[in-house]
Amino acid sequence: MSVASSSGPGRSAERAARVPRLLEAVLSVGSGLELHSTLDRICATAAGLTGARYAAIGVVDEDGDGLADFVHHGVDEATARRIGRLPDGRTGLLGALIRDEQPVRLADLAQDPRACGFPEHHPPMRAFLGLPIRVQGEVFGNLYLAEKRDGQPFDDDDLDMVRVLAAEAGIAVGNARLYEAAEQRERWIDGSVAVTTALLSGDDADDALQVVAEQARRLSGSAAGAVLLPADEGGLEIVAVASHRPSALLGAVVPAENELIAELLAGEPVFVADASTDPRMTTEYGRAYGPVMMVPLQSAGRVLGALVTPRARGERPFTRTERTLAVQFASHAALALMMAEAHRDREQLAVYEDRDRIARDLHDLVVQRLFATGMMLESAQRRSRVPEVRAGVGRAVGELDVTIQEIRTAVFALEQGPAEAPAGLCSRVLREIDTAAVPLGFMPSHRFVGAVDALVGDLTGKNLVAALREALSNAFRHAGAGRIDVEVDATATLPDGRPGVRLTVADDGVGIPPGGRRSGLGNLERRARSLGGDSRHGPGLGGGGGGTTVVWEAPY
């Protein structure tokens, strides 16, 4: 029902008196560049200009069939919380305005057949004025005004002034959107630089992947960020998680049979409107979220993994711009990941070449000299007639034989290739120790307690080996240790009474200086807590407790 307005000298004078207010309102609307504050300002200005108690702007979504955002004025926060969920614009009068794109002026909106009523706790409204806000010729959203303070319906003057205001609002919104898009792109570029720096810095790979997850979560405004890499058994394994809350996702494997994982492995991005209702979400973790963005870490046609950023239930969906920026960010991260992988391969090759050289030197020089020394001692033993001397020389020869066997065992371990390593946890621990011995310049001692291979499960074992690698790396890069003791105890009892496995790595190095870097310790703690365990550190093996002891434990 439209409402006519009277005309005459009084009306003309009133209209003239409102012109300065209109000009002031136009200036106010265009005074900022931040989009949301611009929308707030438009609502407040429109309400003040027309004497409306309530004003709102519904931002039309990219598909043009609903609202992506709803900014309101006049309803206090307590009332808004009681009302609950904001309108989505798919039904009722707001939905009709999106589809019709024509101004609507009503004396009593409850009498309009398109109205579908108000939710509980909504303030009463009768008079209504709604019209579109266009940005560069396209409808950005609709401006709604309701309930004039004088109790009268909106008149032609109100409509004319709001039309002028809406036109200026379209310009202001256009400028704010350009500014926001530029800032958004700048943030994503800065995030890509941070990720590239982390991946190519030569620091621990887990640290770098954690940076990728954290940057993706922050830039996309998501509840969490996760990096998934190919798992040994197929599918994708979650190797890094950034979240406001502790997460149990770390180490979980999503099978390749999952429809979403299959698309990601094929190099296709996946965007889920609501994970809590999407039938493709086959895991309990995914159903806890709302909109989800899943993009492959892809470079040069090779899929290295995936990046997942879920938002909380009820949050707005990802925009087309956010999707594009996320895909570009993932491509940059994948390229940096490939370069970091090539760098690590070169370092690993150098380590293997160094191990081969050490093995050759041990075999060709040390063993041969020890063997010759043993033969000289045996000759001296035969010529000696003193029983004590003969016995002492015999013991020395025996010790030399044992030493030669130990060196040959070390040579065999050094010559083993990565594909030759056995799969047992004890063997994997020994392999990490052997690998660390090369840069350390000495062999860490080790001790196993209990049936380690039989009791410790695959997931816990995999994380224990990663924790050992982290601890040994820290000891080599930062501690300057001359002694390292490693113990894996499968008979441990955790603080909550559960049986578990405890890894202890102790050294006699410089310890952890105050204010020193603790990202490696943070990685250990995240891994342990993702399994329901814990990690801590304390005094080491040096005099007076010098050095560091790292304890990492988790249930089987």
Side-chain angles (χ1 to χ4, degrees):
M1 179 177 66
S2 296
V3 178
S5 95
S6 59
S7 60
R11 176 63 66 185
S12 298
E14 182 182 344
R15 183 179 300 174
R18 295 170 76 176
V19 169
R21 292 172 55 200
L22 176 60
L23 294 175
E24 184 180 345
V26 166
L27 292 174
S28 172
V29 164
S31 62
L33 286 176
E34 199 276 324
L35 181 57
H36 211 274
S37 63
T38 298
L39 298 179
D40 282 332
R41 198 161 48 251
I42 294 170
C43 286
T45 303
L49 193 62
T50 60
R53 292 182 184 275
Y54 309 106
I57 292 177
V59 180
V60 178
D61 61 24
E62 291 179 340
D63 296 328
D65 60 357
L67 297 180
D69 198 4
F70 191 82
V71 179
H72 57 83
H73 169 81
V75 177
D76 60 78
E77 290 301 320
T79 303
R81 283 195 297 270
R82 286 195 298 271
I83 293 172
R85 189 166 184 169
L86 295 172
D88 59 13
R90 299 186 185 278
T91 58
L93 186 57
L94 301 190
L97 275 169
I98 292 174
R99 292 185 290 274
D100 194 13
E101 298 183 11
Q102 295 297 320
V104 173
R105 188 156 49 103
L106 303 170
D108 187 355
L109 60 86
Q111 301 301 316
D112 192 281
R114 296 167 293 184
C116 58
F118 295 120
E120 190 178 0
H121 305 298
H122 196 287
M125 295 180 183
R126 296 185 62 195
F128 177 83
L129 174 60
L131 73 166
I133 297 175
R134 288 183 168 84
V135 177
Q136 296 177 346
E138 295 184 359
V139 174
F140 165 80
N142 289 303
L143 173 62
Y144 315 113
L145 298 168
E147 203 63 18
K148 291 190 69 169
R149 294 183 183 277
D150 59 8
Q152 299 298 312
F154 294 98
D155 56 27
D156 290 339
D157 289 345
D158 294 323
L159 178 57
D160 291 341
M161 283 195 298
V162 174
R163 273 180 168 148
V164 173
L165 185 65
E168 180 60 31
I171 297 172
V173 168
N175 292 336
R177 289 175 78 180
L178 289 173
Y179 176 76
E180 186 178 76
E183 282 216 318
Q184 190 178 35
R185 283 183 170 83
E186 184 178 353
R187 288 194 300 270
W188 281 89
I189 290 171
D190 290 343
S192 295
V193 171
V195 164
T196 302
T197 302
L199 287 169
L200 299 181
S201 64
D203 289 340
D204 185 80
D206 287 342
D207 271 358
L209 293 174
Q210 188 66 28
V211 171
V212 176
E214 287 172 353
Q215 289 289 343
R217 180 194 63 79
R218 180 182 66 85
L219 293 168
S220 63
S222 300
V227 177
L228 291 78
L229 296 182
D232 295 337
E233 61 271 32
L236 293 176
E237 177 186 358
I238 301 175
V239 296
V241 178
S243 176
H244 294 300
R245 298 175 298 177
S247 174
L249 295 175
L250 198 64
V253 176
V254 187
E257 294 76 21
N258 182 284
E259 183 181 343
L260 300 176
I261 297 300
E263 290 187 46
L264 288 171
L265 291 174
E268 297 296 328
V270 179
F271 305 104
V272 177
D274 189 353
S276 62
T277 59
D278 195 301
R280 297 174 297 175
M281 284 288 177
T282 58
T283 65
E284 57 180 318
Y285 310 116
R287 293 200 184 98
Y289 295 100
V292 180
M293 188 160 50
M294 310 171 73
V295 292
L297 290 167
Q298 182 175 219
S299 181
R302 178 185 170 196
V303 177
L304 305 177
L307 186 60
V308 179
T309 53
R311 282 179 174 160
R313 288 185 181 181
E315 289 287 320
R316 64 175 179 84
F318 293 97
T319 65
R320 189 176 293 112
T321 300
E322 287 173 327
R323 296 177 182 186
T324 302
L325 290 172
V327 170
Q328 293 172 351
F329 174 85
S331 296
H332 294 155
L335 179 59
L337 197 60
M338 286 183 66
M339 295 173 66
E341 188 179 76
H343 179 68
R344 285 194 297 271
D345 287 344
R346 288 194 297 271
E347 287 188 334
Q348 192 70 43
L349 181 60
V351 168
Y352 286 133
E353 289 175 347
D354 205 22
R355 288 173 60 174
D356 286 342
R357 179 188 59 77
I358 293 170
R360 286 195 304 271
D361 289 347
L362 285 173
H363 185 270
D364 296 342
L365 299 176
V366 179
V367 171
Q368 295 301 327
R369 288 181 179 178
L370 287 174
F371 186 72
T373 302
M375 293 185 66
M376 291 170 60
L377 288 172
E378 286 180 340
S379 176
Q381 183 186 33
R382 287 193 297 270
R383 290 196 300 270
S384 176
R385 296 181 179 179
V386 181
E388 291 82 359
V389 173
R390 291 171 62 88
V393 171
R395 287 194 297 272
V397 171
E399 288 296 327
L400 283 176
D401 287 340
V402 171
T403 301
I404 290 172
Q405 291 301 318
E406 289 178 345
I407 292 175
R408 283 176 171 163
T409 300
V411 168
F412 175 74
L414 286 169
E415 290 177 338
Q416 268 193 317
E420 298 166 340
L425 178 56
C426 289
S427 298
R428 283 182 284 160
V429 168
L430 289 174
R431 182 169 182 78
E432 291 297 329
I433 293 173
D434 289 341
T435 301
V438 175
L440 285 168
F442 65 90
M443 181 69 73
S445 69
H446 66 273
R447 178 170 177 256
F448 296 102
V449 180
V452 174
D453 283 343
L455 291 174
V456 182
D458 289 341
L459 181 58
T460 300
K462 185 185 298 183
N463 281 276
L464 184 144
V465 170
L468 172 62
R469 186 182 305 127
E470 179 83 46
L472 291 174
S473 174
N474 288 340
F476 163 64
R477 290 187 295 167
H478 309 301
R483 174 189 169 192
I484 298 177
D485 294 347
V486 177
E487 180 181 276
V488 180
D489 183 1
T491 66
T493 301
L494 304 186
D496 60 5
R498 289 179 296 170
V501 60
R502 180 177 294 125
L503 167 69
T504 305
V505 181
D507 67 61
D508 63 350
V510 298
I512 303 174
R517 187 178 176 209
R518 284 169 165 75
S519 59
L521 297 174
N523 283 337
L524 296 175
E525 190 173 344
R526 276 193 298 272
R527 284 188 177 277
R529 290 188 174 178
S530 71
L531 300 169
D534 199 7
S535 179
R536 57 189 180 275
H537 64 277
L541 302 171
T548 306
T549 296
V550 174
V551 179
W552 185 96
E553 57 190 10
Y556 299 138

